[in-house]
Amino acid sequence: MDFQKGISDWDVSTSEKVDEALVRLAQEEELANARLETLLTHQCQIEAKMSGIGRAMATLLAVESDSKNLNAQIVNTAKLAESVSAKVRRLDLARCRASECQQRVHDLIDLQLCSQGVVKAISDGEEDYEKGAAHIARFLAMDQQLLQRTADDVQGSFTSVSDAVRTLEEATEKMQTQISRRFDEAVDNDDLASVERFFKIYPLVGCHGIGIEKFSNYICKKLSVKAQKELRNALDIAKAERRLQLAYADRLTAILENFARVVEVNQPIIEACYGVASPYLLDMIKILQRECDLEVKNLLLEFNKNRQIQYRIQQIKESTQRSSGSGSASSNIQSLGHYRKPSGGSVDKLNPKEIDAIIAEITVMHSRVELYFRFMRRRVQANAEACMTEKEAQKEILDSYNNIIIKSDLSRQMQEILSTYLLFERYFMEESVLKAIALDTFEAGQTCSSMVDDVFFILRKSIRRSFSTQSINGTCAVINNAASSLDGDFVNALKTPLKNGYPSGYIDLAQAYNAIQTTLQQGKLQSSDADRGRANFLVQLNNADISTEYIETLWQTMEQEIAGTFPNMSSVERQLLDSCLTELKNVRDALKATVDFGMQQLRSSAIKPRLNPWVDQFLNYSHYLTEEELAKYEAGETFVQFLIVQLDGLLTTFKSSLSPRNYDALVSILATEVTLRLERAIKKSTFNRLGGLVLDQEVRALGTYLTGATSWSVRDKMTRLSQIATLLNLEKVSELSEYWNPESSNDMPSWRLTPNEIRTILTLRTDFRMEDIKRLQL
Amino acid sequence: MEDYKFLFKIVLVGNAGVGKTCLVRRFTQGLFPPGQGATIGVDFMIKTVEVEGEKIKLQIWDTAGQERFRSITQSYYRSAHALILVYDISCQPTFDCLPDWLREIQEYANIKVLKILVGNKTDRHDREIPTEVGHYFAKQHEMYFLETSAKEAENVERLFYEIAAELIDQARSKDGSSAATTAAQRQTDSGSIGLGFSSLSAKAAQSNCCSGLGLGNNDNASGTVGSNNTSQGG
Ligand SMILES: Nc1nc2c(ncn2[C@@H]2O[C@H](COP(=O)(O)OP(=O)(O)O)[C@@H](O)[C@H]2O)c(=O)[nH]1
Ligand SMILES: [Mg+2]
């Protein structure tokens, strides 16, 4: 079938083709033969396999009967095994009972030994509490109920069992009170060795809870005394260490380290002596945390007092109220932009530099507490893993520690101090930004002024500092505040001079720069001084442009540094940070809008008014030329030469004072305006053939000039004008068809003119006949 | 790119314990959480909803009510598209604090932000703030108004869907017509919006049904509220 189908497709119309087909047929025959041959060679193998299968069949029958036998045997064996295992189970039970019995006998023997031993050990002469406690521990390890039953069982014949139990019970009680007494004595004498000794004995006499509690309280007392003393000398210590600015952060660190050390030292002791039945370490930490809360509270009271935190908070609140009280921010911006605060400056206005060191100190404090919690969490985790095998139970312990953290006063105090930090940091950032704006200076030869670098430096400093709090919430808030400072004060400072528009008239920029530098420093800007106004306008326009790049860089570096600072972020935390960073990046849109706004201002005040009279010169030229007039025209200054000289003059004044991107945007605007205006002038003129020819040349020259002026493509903006010139440069109307056909438009982009426009433009050529134009197939 | 047409940020504020976290949980996870701890700083949740055939991503910021978290939570106001101010209808002090919250909003939020007053816990029988009182307060301060119960899931979906619809309208009208709206325009018109929204809530109280979200009612008003949009192309 396949073959036939193949043949039927062949072309056999000529004898050569037939020959060709024959050759191909022969080839295929050969192939077929070869295939048949290989198939035949397999015959032997297949037959051999067949006979093999036949033989195997016989064996299989034997296998079948064997397997039936086997099955029967297995069923039998299973029955046997079941009866055996029942016996084994009974045996096992018996063995269990025997060993239980043995255990009871052992217990009984030990009971006697213990009861004799304990009495001796705690007798006044010896006071071997360790030995006595060991006996009691042995006694307590026995199953008390079982012991009671044994005593009941053997009642009558042996009264010594219940005697021994009673002796031991009494000894336990006695031991407990004695140890407590001795412990208290040791505490009173501040005898650390004895305290530790009895701390280890408590669990032996079954008083785990009391032991932990008494020992922890003792430690707390010791730490409290130490902390109080150190706090009193905080400033002296700091002075000696030349770390006055971190005096309280260092004290806090010392406090936290003390608690951490206690836990670190005692964790193995507790695990060894108190066992792993229950997370005793957590009980200790709970007590310690209460003391820690107290010590930190005292420290912060001192810190607040010494660093005048409340007073400074008050100063900040007042100054922000004053600034928003004197009318909303926007109304101030209208007038002088960045001078949000009354320029006189009141006496008690807080200088941001004054709180710089305090901010740093607070971040250290906050990060220390974060580290402390992290350390403790690891300890608790290790302890939980030692105590519990199940993950669930481990998690429960960790959760209950987290709960201790959340509920602790230390956490609450850190939230308070973080709040202070954020208030200070925001004030520092906003004030410094305002200051950078107010002290803006411009150096000749640069396109931007100092405030861009300064502002971004401040923001980066603040955001970086927020990382060192180790708080994600704090970092997010500072990023948010940075975004709002940029979006508010900074963008407004850029926008204000742009809003006033670009002062018209001729300019001498070199002079204007010097002027602006001094006025900016003096903090007053006289809008009457047009030159300064112009220079300032361009500088702010450039500032806005360059800031879009800076913000991108800031965003990227901060994102990287955050990843380095918080390597173990949860996914929610990551999203939180991402979202805040995105908000920062979005300020770019406001900056771009500012640039666009400034460009529009330039268009309406610097470009259009200058440009229009130049272009309108076109109307003063005749476009109705004889050969002679043409020669004369070309010998003198042509229109386009005049126009290009003017445009070039205009652009040159901007080229050195605009950032590259802004300059390109300006050329682009210029191109749009020139072409629009020229188009209008053309439509008001009439042309003969030579007039059209000249126009076409001039439009080309203009296009070449504009293309050369910028790295952006302005070709597109020239398209309409070029097409108009092409129309007016036609030999005759019918020639249009050569250009109109869109398929062969290699040279020309598709038409931007509607058929109606084309007809109208063609009528500008006085030598074209109306009927020809009307007859055009468009 | 992610598959959504608009991204809106909604921030919940109000005293601690009024049920902000419960409202967010109810809406995003469909449950009423038993005894969770107080919120620390801010919490953050995302839910994508579909309104008028558009996929909308809602970023919901749940804030802590206590004073000591204020400097954290304030920093989120600026970028919010909508602010939900919550009080507890069975707790007079939470209502009395509303002016303080409004002052904060005034100071830190965008002036064009959409504000919604929510009286939560309508399931409780010990009501202290009558509906009309809440309603009146909202009207006075040019806010939308709705009463909810996070516990009984009443009006919770409606609250967020209504906000989404309103924000879409704002974003669209900003794209279409001129974005500039004068303050005077905004003022006269937002009064009527307030009425529109609260009349919706009155209607909801009668029918007690959340399926008809009454999206159309805001059409005339939407064009004038304006927004600091964040429509992100999808
Ligand atoms: N009866 C009732 N209780 C609520 C409702 N919403 C929240 N709660 C309770 O109010 C308390 C505080 O809620 P929470 O969401 O943590 O408040 P938040 O501080 O504003 O986030 C919790 O005990 C909740 O169970 C509600 O709609 N009805
Ligand atoms: Mg909450």
Side-chain angles (χ1 to χ4, degrees):
Chain A
M1 286 246 299
D2 220 47
F3 179 63
Q4 264 179 3
K5 200 163 143 252
I7 292 179
S8 63
D9 288 346
W10 290 356
D11 183 0
V12 287
S13 49
T14 63
S15 66
E16 288 104 69
K17 293 259 170 72
V18 170
D19 281 345
E20 225 172 78
L22 192 63
V23 173
R24 265 155 74 186
L25 260 180
Q27 281 169 350
E28 269 178 30
E29 185 184 355
E30 234 164 77
L31 273 177
N33 276 339
R35 277 222 301 279
L36 278 173
E37 207 110 296
T38 34
L39 282 178
L40 279 173
T41 54
H42 289 322
Q43 187 185 3
C44 284
Q45 287 170 18
I46 289 167
E47 274 171 2
K49 273 189 190 148
M50 290 296 285
S51 74
I53 289 169
R55 261 178 279 129
M57 287 294 279
T59 333
L60 271 180
L61 284 178
V63 169
E64 195 194 351
S65 76
D66 282 357
S67 60
K68 267 188 195 143
N69 277 342
L70 186 61
N71 190 20
Q73 275 179 18
I74 288 173
V75 170
N76 260 340
T77 314
K79 271 187 200 142
L80 273 175
E82 225 162 89
S83 69
V84 168
S85 82
K87 280 180 193 150
V88 168
R89 242 176 287 145
R90 276 204 296 282
L91 266 177
D92 208 34
L93 198 64
R95 208 182 53 106
C96 247
R97 295 232 173 99
S99 89
E100 221 171 82
C101 201
Q102 226 174 0
Q103 179 65 39
R104 271 167 92 169
V105 170
H106 273 299
D107 282 359
L108 285 177
I109 294 169
D110 284 355
L111 190 66
Q112 292 298 333
L113 288 175
C114 286
S115 79
Q116 283 157 13
V118 77
V119 172
K120 190 158 169 282
I122 61 174
S123 66
D124 291 339
E126 224 156 294
E127 294 213 335
D128 191 344
Y129 293 107
E130 278 78 8
K131 203 166 180 187
H135 287 308
I136 290 172
R138 174 71 188 91
F139 165 65
L140 292 176
M142 297 173 196
D143 186 332
Q144 300 292 319
Q145 279 182 340
L146 214 60
L147 219 50
Q148 196 54 53
R149 254 190 288 145
T150 316
D152 293 345
D153 289 348
V154 296
Q155 213 177 19
S157 48
F158 288 102
T159 49
S160 60
V161 172
S162 36
D163 282 350
V165 169
R166 206 174 312 118
T167 312
L168 275 165
E169 277 170 359
E170 280 166 14
T172 306
E173 219 164 283
K174 196 167 161 206
M175 201 59 182
Q176 284 169 354
T177 42
Q178 267 193 35
I179 287 174
S180 282
R181 187 167 50 77
R182 293 300 301 268
F183 188 97
D184 292 344
E185 276 171 24
V187 168
D188 288 343
N189 298 334
D190 201 8
D191 174 0
L192 180 63
S194 300
V195 166
E196 281 176 349
R197 176 181 171 205
F198 292 108
F199 172 53
K200 288 176 191 164
I201 292 175
Y202 267 118
L204 294 176
V205 297
C207 297
H208 298 75
I210 300 175
I212 294 280
E213 192 185 320
K214 278 185 172 274
F215 183 67
S216 305
N217 284 334
Y218 167 72
I219 301 255
C220 288
K221 210 173 109 193
K222 294 220 61 145
L223 290 179
S224 163
V225 172
K226 190 172 176 226
Q228 276 170 25
K229 192 170 140 236
E230 285 183 356
L231 184 57
R232 272 197 302 276
N233 302 324
L235 292 177
D236 294 336
I237 297 172
K239 203 177 264 169
E241 292 172 346
R242 295 180 176 279
R243 286 168 67 84
L244 256 185
Q245 298 202 318
L246 287 173
Y248 295 97
D250 284 349
R251 274 317 95 224
L252 177 69
T253 310
I255 290 174
L256 297 173
E257 277 174 355
N258 286 338
F259 283 97
R261 203 169 305 118
V262 168
V263 171
E264 188 170 33
V265 168
N266 287 292
Q267 183 184 354
I269 298 173
I270 290 175
E271 276 167 19
C273 300
Y274 281 68
V276 292
S278 165
Y280 293 112
L281 184 69
L282 203 58
D283 298 340
M284 180 183 227
I285 288 177
K286 210 179 283 175
I287 297 170
L288 291 176
Q289 188 56 53
R290 276 203 300 269
E291 174 63 24
C292 180
D293 289 350
L294 216 65
E295 288 179 17
V296 173
K297 187 175 161 197
N298 289 334
L299 175 99
L300 289 181
L301 280 175
E302 203 59 29
F303 167 78
N304 285 335
K305 200 169 82 193
N306 191 284
R307 305 290 197 218
Q308 296 180 295
I309 300 296
Q310 285 316 317
Y311 174 63
R312 289 178 157 137
I313 289 177
Q314 201 54 39
Q315 276 181 305
I316 290 175
K317 292 215 164 127
E318 267 171 24
S319 96
T320 42
Q321 264 162 19
R322 202 180 323 126
S323 67
S324 59
S326 64
S328 74
S330 60
S331 74
N332 278 324
I333 288 152
Q334 295 286 340
S335 55
L336 266 179
H338 29 269
Y339 301 109
R340 198 173 62 169
K341 308 280 176 335
S343 52
S346 61
V347 194
D348 62 345
K349 182 146 167 8
L350 184 60
N351 184 342
K353 279 217 182 82
E354 257 181 70
I355 49 171
D356 202 24
I358 301 179
I359 295 175
E361 189 176 25
I362 296 181
T363 62
V364 173
M365 289 172 128
H366 197 273
S367 70
R368 291 296 188 266
V369 173
E370 290 281 334
L371 285 179
Y372 164 76
F373 281 139
R374 222 174 288 166
F375 172 86
M376 294 297 244
R377 216 177 264 130
R378 272 204 307 275
R379 287 284 137 192
V380 171
Q381 169 118 33
N383 180 245
E385 278 163 12
C387 293
M388 314 281 165
T389 45
E390 285 164 48
K391 282 264 177 289
E392 277 294 301
Q394 289 175 7
K395 194 178 164 295
E396 215 167 278
I397 293 179
L398 214 60
D399 284 349
S400 70
Y401 179 62
N402 282 334
N403 215 18
I404 294 177
I405 296 183
I406 290 172
K407 294 222 168 83
S408 72
D409 196 50
L410 180 57
S411 291
R412 197 192 52 75
Q413 301 197 57
M414 283 307 114
Q415 288 155 7
E416 302 268 7
I417 207 169
L418 188 67
S419 162
T420 306
Y421 160 74
L422 289 172
L423 183 73
F424 282 13
E425 187 74 274
R426 199 183 79 207
Y427 182 78
F428 176 86
M429 186 162 68
E430 287 181 356
E431 287 298 311
S432 306
V433 164
L434 288 173
K435 207 162 159 191
I437 292 169
L439 296 178
D440 193 24
T441 51
F442 176 84
E443 276 176 37
Q446 308 258 289
T447 47
C448 296
S449 62
S450 67
M451 75 175 198
V452 181
D453 277 334
D454 291 350
V455 164
F456 279 90
F457 174 83
I458 293 158
L459 297 185
R460 198 170 55 230
K461 172 177 171 167
S462 281
I463 297 176
R464 276 204 181 125
R465 189 154 58 185
S466 75
F467 301 163
S468 57
T469 61
Q470 292 286 323
S471 156
I472 297 215
N473 260 323
T475 299
C476 284
V478 172
I479 294 174
N480 289 341
N481 291 339
S484 87
S485 177
L486 273 180
D487 200 18
D489 294 329
F490 183 63
V491 168
N492 283 331
L494 297 175
K495 221 177 197 165
T496 308
L498 303 184
K499 274 199 187 130
N500 295 336
Y502 187 77
S504 49
Y506 284 90
I507 60 176
D508 178 359
L509 283 168
Q511 232 174 36
Y513 289 148
N514 296 333
I516 187 170
Q517 196 168 352
T518 47
T519 46
L520 278 178
Q521 275 165 347
Q522 286 161 5
K524 52 175 190 270
L525 195 73
Q526 287 159 359
S527 56
S528 60
D529 194 329
D531 280 352
R532 290 175 202 157
R534 272 190 289 271
N536 190 33
F537 183 101
L538 297 180
V539 167
Q540 301 309 344
L541 192 58
N542 292 333
N543 283 347
D545 175 48
I546 203 76
S547 296
T548 61
E549 280 170 31
Y550 277 29
I551 211 160
E552 182 87 26
T553 313
L554 179 68
W555 172 74
Q556 271 173 0
T557 36
M558 291 306 109
E559 188 177 49
Q560 279 164 12
E561 289 179 20
I562 283 171
T565 312
F566 303 105
N568 300 316
M569 271 185 285
S570 71
S571 81
V572 174
E573 289 170 333
R574 183 180 305 277
Q575 283 183 331
L576 200 78
L577 273 164
D578 279 350
S579 166
C580 294
L581 280 170
T582 306
E583 204 54 54
L584 182 64
K585 203 166 74 168
N586 284 347
V587 179
R588 210 180 33 181
D589 297 340
L591 289 165
K592 283 200 173 132
T594 306
V595 175
D596 289 345
F597 174 76
M599 280 298 166
Q600 290 315 315
Q601 293 282 64
L602 267 188
R603 177 205 296 268
S604 57
S605 48
I607 306 286
K608 273 175 118 170
R610 312 273 301 274
L611 191 73
N612 290 351
W614 298 334
V615 176
D616 290 349
Q617 286 291 317
F618 185 77
L619 298 171
N620 296 342
Y621 288 84
S622 164
H623 307 286
Y624 206 86
L625 301 168
T626 62
E627 292 279 358
E628 197 180 329
E629 282 166 333
L630 174 64
K632 215 165 104 197
Y633 174 72
E634 284 179 337
E637 188 187 45
T638 61
F639 165 72
V640 76
Q641 280 167 349
F642 161 78
L643 181 60
I644 287 174
V645 167
Q646 301 303 329
L647 294 182
D648 204 46
L650 178 68
L651 286 178
T652 310
T653 58
F654 286 105
K655 178 141 196 174
S656 59
S657 48
L658 278 178
S659 70
R661 212 179 1 234
N662 280 344
Y663 179 71
D664 282 333
L666 181 78
V667 177
S668 177
I669 286 175
L670 184 78
T672 307
E673 291 302 323
V674 168
T675 50
L676 275 177
R677 191 73 186 183
L678 189 53
E679 185 179 326
R680 271 172 63 186
I682 290 170
K683 284 180 181 161
K684 285 188 204 155
S685 311
T686 52
F687 301 82
N688 69 353
R689 169 76 190 89
L690 287 181
L693 180 76
V694 169
L695 176 71
D696 195 45
Q697 283 168 358
E698 299 203 312
V699 166
R700 274 172 213 271
L702 181 65
T704 308
Y705 170 73
L706 289 174
T707 306
T710 164
S711 57
W712 290 5
S713 172
V714 289
R715 188 175 250 250
D716 196 53
K717 298 191 182 301
M718 295 294 301
T719 306
R720 250 181 90 90
L721 199 60
S722 304
Q723 288 174 347
I724 290 171
T726 304
L727 289 177
L728 293 175
N729 188 25
L730 290 178
E731 195 84 44
K732 45 187 186 294
V733 176
S734 59
E735 212 182 41
L736 177 64
S737 58
E738 282 174 39
Y739 297 95
W740 182 250
N741 184 1
E743 268 167 61
S744 62
S745 59
N746 302 329
D747 264 354
M748 277 182 83
S750 58
W751 283 88
R752 300 287 166 81
L753 301 170
T754 64
N756 270 340
E757 281 176 324
I758 288 178
R759 287 199 177 87
T760 315
I761 286 161
L762 287 173
T763 57
L764 300 178
R765 272 282 292 271
T766 45
D767 51 330
F768 287 167
R769 289 192 313 166
M770 210 59 188
E771 305 93 83
D772 292 343
I773 296 172
K774 275 189 184 143
R775 224 182 295 129
L776 276 173
Q777 300 280 313
L778 295 174
Chain B
M1 276 272 104
E2 277 182 80
D3 177 29
Y4 56 81
K5 183 81 183 281
F6 296 104
L7 171 85
F8 295 128
K9 294 192 178 181
I10 303 174
V11 177
L12 285 96
V13 297
N15 280 21
V18 297
K20 298 180 293 296
T21 303
C22 289
L23 282 169
V24 175
R25 289 285 155 94
R26 168 60 75 190
F27 177 62
T28 55
Q29 299 167 346
L31 48 83
F32 184 70
Q36 91 283 14
T39 310
I40 293 175
V42 291
D43 203 358
F44 170 79
M45 242 157 278
I46 287 181
K47 179 157 169 155
T48 306
V49 298
E50 205 173 306
V51 180
E52 298 172 27
E54 305 274 28
K55 275 231 169 67
I56 316 294
K57 189 163 155 180
L58 297 180
Q59 255 185 22
I60 304 171
W61 300 79
D62 176 22
T63 66
Q66 292 90 341
E67 182 70 34
R68 64 179 182 278
F69 294 113
R70 224 41 74 78
S71 46
I72 293 175
T73 54
Q74 280 162 357
S75 75
Y76 289 89
Y77 287 29
R78 186 187 67 94
S79 60
H81 298 103
L83 277 166
I84 303 180
L85 176 49
V86 189
Y87 67 93
D88 176 350
I89 58 129
S90 64
C91 180
Q92 181 76 41
T94 67
F95 186 80
D96 295 340
C97 282
L98 294 179
D100 295 339
W101 287 106
L102 283 176
R103 220 166 296 132
E104 286 237 325
I105 293 171
Q106 167 102 11
E107 184 169 358
Y108 296 101
N110 191 314
I111 39 165
K112 291 177 262 175
V113 72
L114 184 67
K115 284 175 286 187
I116 303 96
L117 182 65
V118 167
N120 188 38
K121 310 198 186 177
T122 50
D123 58 286
R124 290 183 65 125
H125 299 296
D126 51 350
R127 179 190 276 274
E128 290 182 1
I129 319 291
T131 305
E132 310 79 62
V133 174
H135 189 188
Y136 180 72
F137 185 90
K139 206 169 129 187
Q140 259 190 328
H141 295 90
E142 293 167 9
M143 289 187 279
Y144 288 87
F145 180 67
L146 207 59
E147 285 194 334
T148 59
S149 164
K151 192 175 179 193
E152 305 294 332
E154 186 159 312
N155 272 346
V156 179
E157 293 265 307
R158 178 197 174 87
L159 169 66
F160 287 97
Y161 275 88
E162 203 86 59
I163 289 171
E166 178 65 32
L167 289 174
I168 293 173
D169 282 351
Q170 287 186 9
R172 285 215 184 108
S173 67
K174 199 185 175 191
D175 284 347
S177 64
S178 76
T181 30
T182 65
Q185 250 180 316
R186 197 179 311 119
Q187 235 176 5
T188 50
D189 285 334
S190 56
S192 65
I193 302 167
L195 279 171
F197 205 103
S198 41
S199 70
L200 280 175
S201 80
K203 224 168 32 187
Q206 288 160 15
S207 61
N208 200 12
C209 127
C210 291
S211 59
L213 287 172
L215 293 166
N217 286 30
N218 294 323
D219 275 0
N220 59 343
S222 60
T224 53
V225 176
S227 103
N228 54 335
N229 80 328
T230 306
S231 49
Q232 302 203 344

